[in-house]
Amino acid sequence: MKKQILMAVLFVIVTGIITACGSSDDKASGEAGEEKKVLKMATSADFPPFETRDPEGNFEGFDIELGQMIAKELGYELEIEDMQFDGLVGALQADRVDMVLSGMSATEERKKNVDFSTEYHRSGESFLTNKDSNIETIDDLKGKIVGVQLGSIQEEGAKKLAKEYDFEVKAVDKAGLLVQELNANRIDVGYMDKTVAAGYAKEQDLKSFDDPTESSPGMGIAFPKGSDLVDKVNDVLAKFEKSGKMQELEDKWLSEMQ
């Protein structure tokens, strides 16, 4: 009887050791049914062709596909959260998400609160107007109402330009609302990313002209301060640039808008 009890105890101990070793190996390799690590990405999906939703409600766009490519390269399962643009930095600071890919310009002011990857795209800005508008240059903006997206680099830039060109700035929550405001004559001009403006001009039969003043910083991927993902993502971006994958994304999503 004692021998049987001893054998049973030894069996339990050996089984436990084997299970523990197996669990350790699974976590290291990500195999044997172990779920992939989740990479939480925030975006504001109202900024085509960078981020938007298709008719079925699925995320799509340049930034969306770039995020998917980065997650796959690093071995993560990508989880995307849609939120207001002016809440993205706060979400990073609160550690609600791991990164933000949302056409965000890497300004010095934002760098005080978050870390950025290397620049992955640069567009510049444009003014969007109705087809029959007599506003054709920045000098025609005096006394007009210029719409911008709340929390965007364009809001910051428009406030500076307003002092010189004497126009009123009106901020709205989403970039798509600027077209609605324009069509309803609640604003005279929309001020937005050059690529996005070109897309709206084509789709909505509007016209646009470029901002001739100093261009904004390029777009970067934002992370919480001190995130160890920054260097890893920079390495991936460099790899994509060298292999031509970044150019493929440009050609797929942005070529018709440039």
Side-chain angles (χ1 to χ4, degrees):
M1 178 65 71
K2 290 183 179 179
K3 184 177 180 180
Q4 290 176 334
I5 293 173
L6 180 60
M7 291 298 292
V9 171
L10 287 173
F11 177 79
V12 171
I13 292 173
V14 171
T15 302
I17 291 172
I18 292 172
T19 302
C21 291
S23 298
S24 177
D25 290 342
D26 290 347
K27 288 181 180 179
S29 65
E31 297 176 353
E34 187 74 25
E35 291 186 4
K36 283 186 176 182
K37 297 173 291 183
V38 174
L39 180 65
K40 294 183 179 180
M41 169 184 141
T43 193
S44 182
D46 61 338
F47 200 59
F50 292 97
E51 41 270 331
T52 187
R53 291 179 184 267
D54 65 18
E56 288 72 42
N58 302 308
F59 291 107
E60 67 173 9
F62 181 97
D63 286 343
I64 302 301
E65 190 165 340
L66 178 58
Q68 292 168 341
M69 289 166 56
I70 290 170
K72 183 178 180 181
E73 185 72 22
L74 295 178
Y76 287 97
E77 189 74 36
L78 186 66
E79 182 179 295
I80 303 176
E81 183 175 349
D82 191 8
M83 60 182 67
Q84 300 282 27
F85 188 86
D86 62 337
L88 293 174
V89 170
L92 288 172
Q93 291 178 303
D95 289 324
R96 284 175 51 197
V97 295
D98 301 305
M99 69 178 190
V100 163
L101 244 171
S102 195
M104 183 176 285
S105 298
T107 66
E108 293 303 317
E109 187 64 28
R110 287 178 180 146
K111 287 178 181 179
K112 296 176 183 177
N113 300 305
V114 298
D115 288 337
F116 279 97
S117 70
T118 51
E119 179 181 307
Y120 68 88
H121 181 74
R122 179 184 292 270
S123 295
E125 275 68 48
S126 287
F127 295 95
L128 189 69
T129 68
N130 286 309
K131 204 70 175 284
D132 58 356
S133 171
N134 58 4
I135 301 173
E136 297 181 347
T137 72
I138 195 170
D139 294 312
D140 298 327
L141 296 178
K142 184 176 180 179
K144 305 298 183 182
I145 300 175
V146 176
V148 294
Q149 183 179 19
L150 184 66
S152 67
I153 183 65
Q154 288 79 31
E155 181 185 21
E156 182 180 327
K159 288 179 179 178
K160 293 179 181 178
L161 292 174
K163 296 176 182 178
E164 181 178 354
Y165 294 95
D166 192 24
F167 58 77
E168 179 184 343
V169 178
K170 179 179 180 180
V172 299
D173 289 335
K174 295 182 176 293
L177 291 177
L178 292 175
V179 176
Q180 295 179 29
E181 294 288 292
L182 194 60
N183 289 332
N185 295 314
R186 288 190 287 264
I187 62 173
D188 300 297
V189 177
Y191 183 54
M192 61 187 70
D193 175 89
K194 181 178 179 179
T195 306
V196 176
Y200 280 131
K202 182 178 180 180
E203 294 173 6
Q204 303 289 331
D205 195 28
L206 302 169
K207 68 178 182 180
S208 65
F209 59 92
D210 293 345
D211 176 8
T213 62
E214 186 176 350
S215 62
S216 65
M219 297 176 183
I221 304 171
F223 303 88
K225 277 287 186 181
S227 172
D228 60 3
L229 282 171
V230 179
D231 290 339
K232 294 177 183 179
V233 170
N234 281 342
D235 289 342
V236 171
L237 290 175
K239 181 178 179 179
F240 288 168
E241 190 68 40
K242 185 176 181 180
S243 68
K245 288 185 177 180
M246 289 300 293
Q247 187 58 53
E248 289 176 10
L249 275 184
E250 294 266 353
D251 293 342
K252 178 178 179 180
W253 293 104
L254 310 180
S255 61
E256 292 185 3
M257 309 300 177
Q258 296 174 339

